[in-house]
């Protein structure tokens, strides 16, 4: 058996990054909010993202929801995608919505290859 070249070191949060290695900002938008996310969406940042999305959804009115701007996302793995999907499911159960208005090429590719793009489409 051929060994792998060098194994990667332990995961770390980049210097200067806030908790979880992502930046999240939110502004009101009618009965909902526009949430801009930047950085890497992975198992390190998932708890912060989960909390930020839950808080934003709590502040939405019935029928309102979240419009996500993911243009600043540089990496998204299955944990990041799962966090977005769970937020969507929670929103729907509370009569709200989550749509992705803009995304980086990395996120767009992930949504397309997993078949999840249509779940976040803006139908308005």
């Amino acid at each position: 058996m051929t060994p792998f070249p060098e194994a990667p070191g332990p995961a770390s949060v980049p210097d200067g990054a806030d908790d979880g290695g992502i930046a999240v900002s939110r502004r009101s938008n009618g009965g909902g909010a526009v949430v801009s996310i930047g950085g890497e969406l992975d198992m390190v940042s998932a708890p912060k993202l989960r909390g930020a999305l839950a808080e934003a959804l709590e502040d939405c009115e019935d029928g309102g929801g979240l419009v996500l701007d993911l243009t600043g996302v540089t990496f998204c793995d299955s944990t990041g995608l799962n966090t977005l999907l769970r937020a969507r499911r929670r929103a729907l159960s509370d009569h709200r919505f989550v749509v992705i208005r803009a995304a980086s090429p990395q996120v767009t590719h992930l949504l397309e290859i997993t078949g999840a793009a249509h779940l976040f489409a803006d139908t308005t």
Side-chain angles (χ1 to χ4, degrees), residues 11-94:
S12 62
V13 176
D15 289 339
D18 57 345
D19 296 337
I22 59 169
V24 180
S25 65
R26 177 177 64 167
R27 70 179 196 281
S28 294
N29 181 25
V34 175
V35 179
S36 298
I37 303 166
E40 297 184 356
L41 304 185
D42 55 19
M43 64 186 270
V44 173
S45 63
K48 180 178 180 179
L49 178 60
R50 190 171 25 257
L53 294 176
E55 185 178 302
L57 280 169
E58 291 280 327
D59 293 341
C60 293
E61 298 174 5
D62 280 348
L66 304 182
V67 175
L68 302 181
D69 177 352
L70 305 178
T71 54
V73 174
T74 57
F75 175 80
C76 185
D77 68 5
S78 60
T79 306
L81 176 59
N82 188 37
T83 303
L84 296 173
L85 289 167
R86 285 175 182 255
R88 178 185 177 273
R89 185 173 60 196
R90 178 177 177 193
L92 292 174
S93 71
D94 291 338

